[in-house]
Amino acid sequence: MTNLPKTIRENLHFLCAEIDGQLLQLEAFFKEPTIARARRILERAGYAHNLKARIHAACVRQLANTRKDNRKHLTLRSLELVATDLQRIANLARQSLRHVERIDAFATLLPERYPAVVRSVRKGVGKIENAFFDNDSKQAIEIGELQKKIETDYRKLFKAYTRDMGNPKLRPADIANSLLVANEFQRMGDSLNTISEALISANIGQAVNLERYFSLQSLKSDLEGAGGGLKIETIAETRSGSSVSALKNKKTEEVAAVFKDGEKSKVREERAGVKSWHEIYPGLAPKILSYEKRDQSAALLIEHLPGTTFEHIVLNGSEEICKKALASLSTTLKDVWKQTKTSEPAELGSMQQLAERLDEVRRIHPEFKDPATRFAGQKLPCLDELVAEANAREMKVSAPFSVYIHGDFNVDNIIYDPDENRIHFIDLHRSRYMDYVQDVSVFLVSNYRLQVRDRDTRHRIMRLCLDFHKSAKAFARKHGDDTFEFRLALGLARSFASSTRFIFDKQLSRRMWLRARYLIEQTIACKAGEEARLRLPMKEIFVD
C-alpha cells in the first residue's frame, strides 16, 4: 500500500490514534466514572468525523483516475470502509455514555466488566495500520477474531442483566439502559469484523468476507500444492448471493480452476447437482476439485471448462459459430431428454411460480399493478385474475413424461467449446426430473431479454429462438407430447413476466409484460380438451 498518497496514510494514522484515545478515556471512565472524562469523550466527535471525511475525499480523488478492475480501486474502497467503521466505533462509544447517564445506580451496570471489553476493541484498532500498510492478512484476521471475544463478553453481560430483572431492588430502567450499553459494545465488535474483511479484501485484491477468505485459502492451497502461484479474479456475482472467481496462474494467466462460494445450502445443492449430472449424463457438468464448508457458508473449487458462454456467442460470435453452437446444443439436449426420459408425468406449475413472483416484479415495476378495466363496454381482467384462471387450466395438463433438466437454463449457464464442438452446463443447483418445457421456455426468454438494441443482433436472437423452438417441437412430436405448445405458452408467459424483475429498461420490460399477458390469454381462449390444437405464432412473439 506504499503507493497511496501521503495525506491518506497520515489521516488514517491520526484517525486510529484518535479512536484509541477516546477508547482509553472510556476505559478509564468505567474504572472511575467522572463527568470530566465523559465530557472529554463526548466533545471529540468533530475531530474523528473530519478525519474520516478527509480520507473519503482523498479516496474519491484517487478513484476518479483508477479503473474499476484495478487493484488500487478495491484498496481505496476498502480504506473508505475502514475509516467509516472507525468513526462508527467512536459514535458507539459516545452513545454508550449517553445510556450510562440515565442509570441511577451505577453498580447495576457491572462497570468492572467493561474495561476488558474496551481493551479488546483498542487491540483491534491498534492492529489496523500494520494490517493495511504491510499487507498483513494475519493481523487482519486477528482483528476479526476479536469480534468473537466481544460477542462472548456481551452474552455474559446479557445473561447477568436478564437475571437481575427479577431483583425487586433494582430499577427496571437501570437494567434496560445497561443492556443498551452492552449492545453498543456488541456493535463495536461488528465494526471490527467489517474492518477485518475490508483489510483482507485490500490485501488479496478480492472482495471477501472472513468465511469466504478461509474457504478460498484452504481450496487455493489444494491447487498451489501442485506448484505455481495463483491469483484471484472475480468472474460474477449471482442473484442468489454466491460469488464466482477464477484462480489464474500468475505467470501464464491460464485459469486453473473456478472458485464458487455462498450460503451453505445453495453450494450444497450445486454440489449435488453436479454429482447427479455425472451419474446421469457424464461429460456435461464440470468436475468438482474440492469442497469446503465453514459455519453457514461453503465453497467449491470447480474444473475450468474450455469455451465461452452461449450469451457471449450470441452477442459477439460470428454467424457460423452461432449456428454451430445452436446445433450442438439442440443435439445434446435431445440426447439428454431421450436418455433420461421416464414414464412419470410432469407438472410444469408455471402459473403458480408466476403468482408467487408478481409482488417482487411489482416492487421493481409498480406500473404493472394493472386493475381490471373496461374497454369498448367489455371488462378486461387484471393479470392476477388471468394467472389464477390459467393456473386452474394448467393443473389439468401435464407432460406425458419427465426428463432430467438443468433447472436454470439461461444463456450464461451454457458453455460451448468450438474446438471440440461440445456443450457443457454450469450452475446446476436446480437440476431435477421435470417437464422439459421449463428449460425450453427459460432458454428462449433469456435470449430475448438480452439488453442489446443492435438491429442485426436482435434479428439473430429472433432466428435463434425460432430454430430452437423448431428443434424442441420436433422432439415433442416424435415422443407423443401433444400439449407441448400449450404448456410452452404458459412457460414463456411465466419467464417473460417474472424476468422483468431483473430488468430496469422500461421499454423492454413493457414488451415482455405484454407478451406474457398475450400468451396467458391465448391459453385461456383455447377450449378445454383442445390444448393439443394450440399453435404459437413464434415469429410474432420474438420479433421486435
Side-chain angles (χ1 to χ4, degrees):
M1 310 301 172
T2 54
N3 59 339
L4 288 178
K6 182 180 178 182
T7 179
I8 291 180
R9 297 170 63 88
E10 289 179 349
N11 283 315
L12 181 62
H13 176 75
F14 290 140
L15 182 56
C16 289
E18 172 64 18
I19 303 306
D20 182 69
Q22 292 188 27
L23 291 171
L24 184 62
Q25 290 293 331
L26 187 61
E27 182 181 344
F29 174 84
F30 283 113
K31 293 177 180 177
E32 188 179 345
T34 65
I35 294 175
R37 283 200 177 98
R39 186 178 295 118
R40 275 198 290 271
I41 298 171
L42 293 170
E43 290 176 352
R44 297 291 293 184
Y47 187 44
H49 174 79
N50 289 340
L51 288 169
K52 182 206 76 170
R54 291 174 194 169
I55 292 171
H56 278 205
C59 287
V60 169
R61 288 194 295 271
Q62 291 290 311
L63 286 166
N65 300 314
T66 307
R67 299 196 319 271
K68 285 188 177 181
D69 59 351
N70 189 294
R71 179 165 180 168
K72 186 177 179 181
H73 188 278
L74 178 60
T75 298
L76 292 165
R77 287 298 186 195
S78 298
L79 184 55
E80 286 181 319
L81 288 174
V82 171
T84 297
D85 272 275
L86 275 170
Q87 193 214 359
R88 183 169 179 257
I89 289 173
N91 291 340
L92 294 170
R94 288 192 298 277
Q95 190 60 39
S96 69
L97 286 178
R98 295 189 181 98
H99 297 315
V100 172
E101 286 177 348
R102 303 186 186 101
I103 299 175
D104 287 346
F106 189 62
T108 305
L109 181 63
L110 306 175
E112 69 279 1
R113 297 194 182 187
Y114 280 90
V117 186
V118 178
R119 284 194 295 272
S120 292
V121 181
R122 288 186 62 204
K123 186 177 180 181
V125 172
K127 291 177 179 289
I128 290 174
E129 285 188 88
N130 287 340
F132 190 75
F133 293 118
D134 296 340
N135 287 4
D136 193 337
S137 292
K138 183 175 182 293
Q139 291 204 56
I141 292 170
E142 289 173 356
I143 295 171
E145 293 295 327
L146 287 167
Q147 188 265 346
K148 295 180 180 179
K149 185 179 185 307
I150 294 169
E151 180 67 23
T152 299
D153 292 336
Y154 164 75
R155 292 186 182 281
K156 290 178 180 177
L157 286 165
F158 183 87
K159 185 176 181 180
Y161 294 147
T162 52
R163 183 184 62 237
D164 288 345
M165 288 178 180
N167 188 343
K169 296 180 182 180
L170 300 177
R171 293 178 66 245
D174 285 356
I175 297 173
N177 280 294
S178 296
L179 280 166
L180 291 172
V181 173
N183 181 252
E184 304 300 349
F185 281 91
Q186 182 192 37
R187 294 167 68 192
M188 288 185 199
D190 293 339
S191 285
L192 287 179
N193 190 69
T194 300
I195 289 171
S196 172
E197 293 175 351
L199 293 172
I200 291 171
S201 298
N203 289 347
I204 70 173
Q206 174 83 10
V208 294
N209 57 33
L210 277 175
E211 289 187 3
R212 184 170 196 244
Y213 174 76
F214 288 125
S215 297
L216 179 57
Q217 291 302 105
S218 176
L219 296 181
K220 185 181 169 193
S221 65
D222 293 344
L223 285 181
E224 289 184 329
L230 297 173
K231 67 177 183 178
I232 308 150
E233 289 186 7
T234 299
I235 298 175
E237 293 180 352
T238 68
R239 297 186 180 99
S240 63
S242 296
S243 296
V244 185
S245 303
L247 298 184
K248 290 186 173 182
N249 185 292
K250 290 180 179 178
K251 294 181 179 180
T252 65
E253 290 290 317
E254 291 182 359
V255 178
V258 175
F259 173 79
K260 183 173 184 178
D261 77 312
E263 185 184 332
K264 187 184 292 183
S265 61
K266 298 285 186 184
V267 176
R268 192 187 296 125
E269 289 174 356
E270 173 81 5
R271 185 188 185 203
V274 171
K275 284 186 173 181
S276 65
W277 274 104
H278 283 306
E279 294 171 0
I280 293 170
Y281 199 92
L284 267 182
K287 296 176 182 177
I288 294 177
L289 305 178
S290 295
Y291 173 71
E292 179 83 14
K293 57 183 177 180
R294 178 183 171 91
D295 297 332
Q296 298 305 309
S297 68
L300 291 171
L301 199 61
I302 305 171
E303 171 194 18
H304 170 64
L305 296 170
T308 56
T309 65
F310 208 90
E311 175 181 1
H312 181 82
I313 291 170
V314 171
L315 297 179
N316 304 292
S318 65
E319 196 67 31
E320 181 184 0
I321 196 71
C322 190
K323 289 180 179 179
K324 286 182 64 178
L326 181 61
S328 181
L329 176 62
S330 297
T331 300
T332 301
L333 276 180
K334 287 181 179 181
D335 195 43
V336 170
W337 295 340
K338 182 180 177 181
Q339 296 293 336
T340 63
K341 182 170 169 283
T342 73
S343 59
E344 185 71 23
E347 304 292 334
L348 186 58
S350 291
M351 293 299 97
Q352 181 62 39
Q353 293 175 38
L354 179 56
E356 293 170 355
R357 295 170 183 170
L358 283 176
D359 286 344
E360 191 176 348
V361 167
R362 286 162 175 159
R363 278 195 292 272
I364 305 300
H365 300 286
E367 67 273 17
F368 290 164
K369 294 178 181 177
D370 48 351
T373 57
R374 301 189 72 85
F375 179 78
Q378 297 293 318
K379 178 186 175 184
L380 300 178
C382 65
L383 188 77
D384 302 69
E385 294 172 337
L386 292 174
V387 169
E389 187 175 352
N391 182 50
R393 291 287 304 277
E394 185 178 30
M395 292 175 66
K396 299 176 182 177
V397 182
S398 60
F401 51 82
S402 300
V403 301
Y404 203 69
I405 68 165
H406 182 287
D408 191 15
F409 208 50
N410 288 295
V411 285
D412 56 353
N413 287 333
I414 304 164
I415 305 291
Y416 176 64
D417 179 4
D419 294 334
E420 298 291 334
N421 193 30
R422 290 189 62 181
I423 291 289
H424 296 284
F425 294 165
I426 59 174
D427 204 2
L428 300 163
H429 64 282
R430 294 180 182 171
S431 296
R432 64 198 185 280
Y433 277 94
M434 177 68 169
D435 184 349
Y436 63 110
V437 164
Q438 171 82 15
D439 276 358
V440 174
S441 60
V442 169
F443 177 79
L444 289 169
V445 174
S446 73
N447 276 281
Y448 180 85
R449 78 182 191 199
L450 290 173
Q451 296 184 58
V452 56
R453 297 186 178 183
D454 175 71
R455 182 177 180 181
D456 291 340
T457 305
R458 295 309 305 180
H459 283 175
R460 169 188 285 187
I461 290 172
M462 182 191 72
R463 293 194 302 272
L464 184 150
C465 289
L466 294 180
D467 290 343
F468 184 78
H469 167 259
K470 182 179 179 181
S471 174
K473 186 177 179 180
F475 176 87
R477 188 184 305 112
K478 183 176 180 179
H479 293 271
D481 184 2
D482 297 331
T483 60
F484 169 79
E485 292 268 278
F486 183 88
R487 302 193 321 279
L488 180 60
L490 294 173
L492 288 173
R494 174 213 54 220
S495 294
F496 272 125
S498 63
S499 291
T500 59
R501 71 193 194 277
F502 304 130
I503 298 171
F504 192 70
D505 185 317
K506 295 299 181 181
Q507 291 184 348
L508 177 58
S509 297
R510 184 67 177 172
R511 293 200 302 270
M512 293 171 67
W513 186 258
L514 291 175
R515 280 164 169 76
R517 183 182 178 105
Y518 167 78
L519 287 163
I520 295 173
E521 289 174 341
Q522 291 301 301
T523 59
I524 292 174
C526 180
K527 293 182 180 180
E530 297 184 1
E531 290 83 5
R533 299 182 63 181
L534 180 66
R535 295 292 180 268
L536 295 178
M538 295 298 291
K539 185 175 181 180
E540 287 72 17
I541 293 171
F542 285 94
V543 72
D544 277 324

